[in-house]
Each structure stands twice: as structure tokens, then as C-alpha cells.
Amino acid sequence: MLIVRMISAGPYVHYAKPNPENSIDRAMLNAIKGSVEKKPIEVEARKRHPLLVNNSGFLKEMAGQQLKSIADIVALHIRKLGPLLPVLHDVQAEFGFIDAAKESEIAQVLNLSRAEVHGVVSFYHDFLSAPDPRPEVQICRAEACKARGVEGLMAAGEAAAGKRVRLKTVYCLGLCSAGPVARVGNQLHIRLDADRLTQVIEQS
């Protein structure tokens, strides 16, 4: 595992291998070593997946397999620079939510504070802090979709959703010329009217 040290120099951040002779770097290495010894993420992942020899091999081996734990998910991204956001997306996709316990575990294995992890989780609305088994339908209510009449569809959408489907307002799904737009999972539904939106919600 490559460990790097960030060196602030004006508006730039430089990445350098830590020097064990430097007392600050030595303390950092010891702290990380202790964390890794407690939770040897990559080592344990390689025991479970013996064909892994490098990051690209890891990605190939893990592709298509169900991730069983946060350890597996972190191991998938551990060699990347700035792995937090990809890890969070995978944890959300696998478990359906990211609560305080998951934030703490992610923070420990990535050598971050829980406050750093929570700051990212709470900033993005895609991450849920508690499980919600209902299917989610995202409806764009940004200005372009408003101009195309999305607000006039909301009453029909809310009636169709009831308590079974979670409607989520988002702002821009990137198809402004084809609005109103809704998204279910990775599928986009464009040029919606009340009947089509109702159908999308009922089929979710």
C-alpha cells in the first residue's frame, strides 16, 4: 500500500513518500501501521481473492461479485488517490445507507477522522443515514424542467407514490432539452406528462 504525505505549499498540494527518518512522518507511519494491523484490509481481501496481484487485477477479480463488507469495498479503492467518494458510493449501493458506525469504520481504514467522512456524507443527498427499503424515483425540478411543466405533474406523482415509493427532488439530471425528466436507478425517463410519470412510479 502506497502511503503519501501531503505537503502544503501555497495553493498547491504535493504528494511525497514519507521519510521514516522524519519524526512527523515516523509518527504518521506508526499510526497508520497500527490501524492497518488492527484491520488489514488489503491483506485480508487478497486472502479471499488470491488472484489479485495489483490494482487492475483486483478490479477484474471483484467485477461482478457481490461485496460483502466495508473491508472489501475499501480494498477495491485502496490504491486510488482520494478514494473516499467512490468508497461511499459503493457502501451506499451495497448496504443502502451509511450510518455513524459505517462512517467510523470507513474513517478508520482510510486514516481519516469521522468528521471528514461525515462532512462528505452529509453534503451529498444521495447518501442515506438510515435504511429505506422503498424504491426511489428522482424527479428533476430545476429551472429547465419547471419551464417544461414539471410542477404541474407533482400532484399526480405524489398520488401515485403514496407511501410505497420515495419521491426525491433533484436539480438537473443533464437532459434539460428533454424535460420533464425522472430517474429510477440508472434509467432516465424523459418528456414526461402526468400519465407517463404515474406509470414510471407505479412500475418502480
Side-chain angles (χ1 to χ4, degrees), residues 101-147:
K102 289 179 175 57
E103 288 179 357
S104 296
E105 186 172 354
I106 293 167
Q108 181 182 4
V109 297
L110 290 180
N111 195 39
L112 299 170
S113 69
R114 194 203 148 200
E116 290 175 291
V117 176
H118 180 71
V120 176
V121 171
S122 60
F123 181 81
Y124 293 101
H125 299 300
D126 286 339
F127 302 129
L128 302 178
S129 60
D132 189 337
R134 296 177 298 168
E136 179 181 275
V137 176
Q138 297 180 355
I139 301 176
C140 178
R141 299 176 74 176
E143 294 304 319
C145 283
K146 281 186 177 180

Side-chain angles (χ1 to χ4, degrees), residues 24-196:
I24 296 176
D25 284 4
R26 187 166 58 250
M28 180 188 74
L29 285 167
N30 288 337
I32 295 174
K33 181 180 177 183
S35 175
V36 171
E37 285 174 350
K38 292 177 185 176
K39 195 175 292 292
I41 300 303
E42 192 170 7
V43 172
E44 289 303 316
R46 288 178 182 276
K47 286 179 183 177
R48 290 193 293 274
H49 309 286
L51 296 180
L52 307 181
V53 293
N54 52 41
N55 196 42
S56 62
F58 186 86
L59 292 172
K60 277 184 187 177
E61 183 67 15
M62 291 295 287
Q65 294 190 22
Q66 184 181 13
L67 301 174
K68 298 295 185 182
S69 68
I70 289 178
D72 287 326
I73 293 171
V74 172
L76 180 62
H77 301 286
I78 195 67
R79 292 180 181 274
K80 296 178 182 178
L81 183 62
L84 177 57
L85 201 53
V87 166
L88 291 175
H89 279 296
D90 282 355
V91 171
Q92 174 69 43
E94 177 64 20
F95 299 100
F97 66 102
I98 305 173
D99 60 6
K102 289 179 175 57
E103 288 179 357
S104 296
E105 186 172 354
I106 293 167
Q108 181 182 4
V109 297
L110 290 180
N111 195 39
L112 299 170
S113 69
R114 194 203 148 200
E116 290 175 291
V117 176
H118 180 71
V120 176
V121 171
S122 60
F123 181 81
Y124 293 101
H125 299 300
D126 286 339
F127 302 129
L128 302 178
S129 60
D132 189 337
R134 296 177 298 168
E136 179 181 275
V137 176
Q138 297 180 355
I139 301 176
C140 178
R141 299 176 74 176
E143 294 304 319
C145 283
K146 281 186 177 180
R148 289 179 171 270
V150 69
E151 296 302 324
L153 313 181
M154 293 308 299
E158 290 168 357
K163 295 182 179 181
R164 185 187 70 83
V165 176
R166 183 172 70 252
L167 295 185
K168 181 176 180 180
T169 294
V170 296
Y171 294 94
C172 195
L173 290 171
L175 288 171
C176 300
S177 63
V181 182
R183 179 170 65 183
V184 181
N186 292 323
Q187 185 174 6
L188 292 168
H189 302 269
I190 62 174
R191 298 188 176 93
L192 296 172
D193 56 24
D195 290 338
R196 291 190 62 197

Side-chain angles (χ1 to χ4, degrees), residues 164 198-204:
R164 185 187 70 83
T198 298
Q199 185 179 19
V200 167
I201 294 171
E202 289 177 346
Q203 292 177 352
S204 298

